[in-house]
Structure formats: structure tokens, C-alpha cells
Amino acid sequence: MIPFLDLRAQYASIKDEVDAAALRVLASAQYVLGDEVAELEREFAAYCGARHAIAVNTGTSALHLALLALGIGPGDEVITVPFTFVATISAICYTGALPVFVDVEPVTLTMDATKLEAAITPRTKAIVPVHLYGQMADMDAIKAIADRHGVPIIEDACQAHGAEYKGRRAGSIGVSGCFSFYPGKNLGACGEGGIVVTSDDSQARTMRMLRDWGQESRYHHVLKGFNYRMDGIQGAILRVKLRHLDAWTEARRAHAARYSALLAESDHVKAPLEIAGRRHVYHIYAVRCRDREALQHALSSEGIQFGLHYPIPVHLQKAHADLGYAPGDFPRSEAAARSVLSLPIYPEMTARQVDEVVSAVEQEAHVH
């Protein structure tokens, strides 16, 4: 069996470091925030090329705080894409603002900047491009439009730890960038976690208060805040993992390169493309399928796990029917939802396992 992701193998490779970090927190009794979280904030901000990082309990909380720090609320509009995990839209809805969608590019499946300007209205208060699967959106084009209209950008970088656009790290181009540390992410906690990076001092100060009940100082609550604090153990473990992130990314990129070379002439799938000037970190290696159902059968019969990211775009989710969208509104997102399939990819994977997955993909015609 080839798993979609092997977190046990990752833990085994750094067990002594992780165990020592967790025990250090237990000994210190700094269970919420504390020194380890503060150090993680300093190290992750430096890694991203930002002045500040604010650690929180989930990636969704990171997005929520970034929106709130811009003063976004009821009556405002926030532009994003429908082909993303639902958390991007949930965070917008938490503020009371209206999510407004634009379709994605056909190749990268990230925000299509050519459709962005038409969606901007006087009520638009932010643009949230999603760096889907680990490749950044076309930030030059998006930023040029955003700057022309005076609209800030919040990067949804929850799948893009260490990704780059023309040498700049994900999270460092917009006014803020939001990351998830869900266990399966390229940099994942042993539980939930998230972080916002920003180089705006005022935004950082506001978010630090909002994550901790709106406190300016102990028992002095100047904002209506939240309990979005990160656990000390997660901070300590993430510091350990951050030291390995670049090596893990290179392993992912090597597996992706092998997949892409072996699948280049495939009649069954189309491999993802890394756009020039962008460093793809392959959180997900998603192929476009000629016949997804047949490929699912082929992989299952060989004991190979896979994922579907994402089979229903958010504008067609029942929970967001109130937004008033209908089938056909975003044809590229809908086509992607019908055809993408995610093959296994993780740093501890072997080249032989990649070969076995490709062999199963090429058996599709015989299984169908």
C-alpha cells in the first residue's frame, strides 16, 4: 500500500528532536503561547521575509484575523476564488462581509487576474488570492490591479509554505499572508495551528490583541477579541520542523519532477505545470484526468491512496447557496472540480513508490 501521506514516517525521522521539544514545554509549563511560540513567530517571520508573525490556533483563524485587522465587516466585499478549501470563504463570512468570486486560470488553477478588475466595486475591501496546491498566484498582475484601486491583498498561503514568486516568499507580497499548520501541511503541527505574517506594525499589533481576547495588557480588553492562541507544544514542535522544511520541500520537488517526467506522454492524465519564476512546493501533486473514475479504480486496485482537492467548488456548496451562484458561473473551477486527482507526495516517499504510482496510472485503460 502507498499512503497519500505518511506522517508516521516523518515523525520517525525526527522523533528525538520532536520529543525533546514537547518535553521542554511540559517542563516549562508554558502551555499556551510562551517562549516557544514567540521564537516560532520570530523564526517564521524571518523565513517568509516579513517583520512580524502572529501564531494562532488554525489557518482559518489566521485568515479571520487578517480580514478583521483591515476593519472588514458587514456590507463589505472580499474577492477570492471558488476553487479552494471552504475555509477561505468561511473566514470571510465570519466577518459578515460578502465573498465575491472570480474564476481561476486554466493551468495553475489560481486566481485569473484578467477577471479581477471587473469584480471590484466601491465596497471591495480586500482581495484574497489562494496559492493553490503550493504554487503562488500571478501576484504581479493581481497586485497591479489591487494597487490601482487601493485594495489590500491578503495572501491565502495555507498550502504554500516556502513557495516563491520571483524570489519573494509566499505571504510577503500582500499586506498579510496566512498559513495553516494542519498536520498534513508541508509544515504541519501535531494538532491544529496557523500563523499570519505581515510587515505592517499596526496590523500586527491589532492581530496580537484580537487572538488573545482583545487584550492590550492583562485584563485590559480594548477590542472584542477571540481565543485564537497557539499551544506552546505546537510552537515548539513547529520550530523543530521549520528547520527541516527546505529539505522536505526539495524532496517534494524531486518527486514532482519524477512524476512529471514519467507522465509527460501519458494519455490518461495531464501533469501540473510549474510556471517560470514561481517555486512550486507541491503540497499537492494534482493531475487532470481524462477519466477520473477509471483512474480512481486503477489506483484503488493497486492499493494506492489518492485525494480529490476539491470535488465541489465553494460556489456550488449547499452551505453557500445564499450567495446566489449557479452551475456554469465559473466554468474553469467546475471543470477542475470534475477532473483533478491528487497523487501521493510527501518527503519520505521513495522514487520506487513514485514509479509504482505512475505504473498504476498507466494501467487505467486496462482496469476501466
Side-chain angles (χ1 to χ4, degrees):
M1 193 271 283
I2 299 178
F4 180 69
L5 177 66
D6 193 346
L7 293 179
R8 289 178 181 169
Q10 184 188 77
Y11 172 61
S13 72
I14 54 171
K15 181 179 184 304
D16 290 346
E17 293 174 82
V18 169
D19 291 354
L23 290 172
R24 196 164 61 237
V25 175
L26 293 176
S28 73
Q30 293 185 337
Y31 302 133
V32 179
L33 297 177
D35 293 342
E36 294 286 348
V37 173
E39 286 300 313
L40 171 69
E41 291 176 333
R42 280 190 280 274
E43 292 164 3
F44 196 74
Y47 182 81
C48 293
R51 277 209 299 273
H52 307 281
I54 300 92
V56 292
N57 59 344
T58 68
T60 312
S61 300
L63 287 161
H64 188 201
L65 290 192
L67 291 159
L68 289 175
L70 288 173
I72 291 170
D76 296 332
E77 296 177 355
V78 176
I79 299 174
T80 189
V81 291
F83 193 62
T84 180
F85 184 60
V86 71
T88 311
I89 285 71
S90 297
I92 297 168
C93 293
Y94 292 170
T95 69
L98 180 70
V100 175
F101 296 129
V102 297
D103 211 347
V104 296
E105 295 176 346
V107 175
T108 65
L109 304 182
T110 57
M111 180 178 281
D112 184 350
T114 67
K115 299 182 181 301
L116 176 58
E117 195 146 29
I120 294 176
T121 76
R123 295 198 298 168
T124 302
K125 294 297 185 288
I127 298 167
V128 183
V130 178
H131 303 326
L132 194 75
Y133 299 157
Q135 181 160 234
M136 292 178 67
D138 186 357
M139 294 305 293
D140 276 353
I142 293 169
K143 193 167 188 307
I145 296 168
D147 289 348
R148 189 154 62 239
H149 292 269
V151 178
I153 295 172
I154 297 171
E155 296 175 62
D156 182 339
C158 288
Q159 300 184 357
H161 313 69
E164 294 178 6
Y165 182 94
K166 298 183 179 178
R168 295 186 66 179
R169 286 261 164 88
S172 67
I173 297 176
V175 67
S176 58
C178 305
F179 296 82
S180 166
F181 294 138
Y182 189 75
K185 294 295 168 59
N186 291 24
L187 178 60
C190 293
E192 298 273 10
I195 205 164
V196 189
V197 298
T198 182
S199 291
D200 185 304
D201 298 346
S202 175
Q203 295 278 310
R205 180 174 179 273
T206 300
M207 287 189 278
R208 286 190 191 285
M209 287 192 288
L210 286 171
R211 75 164 170 189
D212 190 15
W213 300 111
Q215 293 185 104
E216 187 176 49
S217 57
R218 191 162 178 81
Y219 297 128
H220 290 263
H221 303 267
V222 298
L223 298 172
K224 290 181 173 63
F226 305 85
N227 181 5
Y228 283 173
R229 298 169 298 195
M230 175 179 278
D231 292 348
I233 286 179
Q234 302 307 338
I237 292 174
L238 285 163
R239 289 186 66 206
V240 169
K241 291 190 171 188
L242 181 58
R243 295 198 289 270
H244 296 275
L245 180 58
D246 283 339
W248 288 342
T249 298
E250 287 310 310
R252 286 177 179 273
R253 286 176 56 79
H255 295 324
R258 190 174 185 86
Y259 268 136
S260 295
L262 295 173
L263 293 171
E265 304 300 325
S266 175
D267 293 328
H268 309 300
V269 303
K270 182 180 290 186
L273 288 179
E274 182 179 50
I275 304 300
R278 302 185 210 181
R279 182 183 188 241
H280 199 321
V281 295
Y282 293 101
H283 171 59
I284 297 291
Y285 187 89
V287 296
R288 301 291 288 268
C289 308
R290 183 193 63 179
D291 184 337
R292 187 166 70 183
E293 186 177 352
L295 181 55
Q296 290 177 265
H297 285 304
L299 295 173
S300 295
S301 68
E302 295 297 323
I304 296 169
Q305 295 181 346
F306 55 86
L308 300 179
H309 302 89
Y310 300 92
I312 305 173
V314 181
H315 71 287
L316 300 181
Q317 293 284 355
K318 187 176 179 180
H320 295 292
D322 59 321
L323 297 177
Y325 293 110
D329 283 348
F330 304 103
R332 290 173 182 166
S333 294
E334 293 167 32
R338 290 191 297 269
S339 65
V340 294
L341 182 144
S342 308
L343 299 177
I345 193 165
Y346 48 92
E348 299 77 17
M349 200 175 181
T350 65
R352 182 175 178 179
Q353 287 176 311
V354 172
D355 294 350
E356 289 177 21
V357 174
V358 171
S359 177
V361 169
E362 295 307 294
Q363 290 295 315
E364 175 208 309
H366 303 295
V367 175
H368 189 46

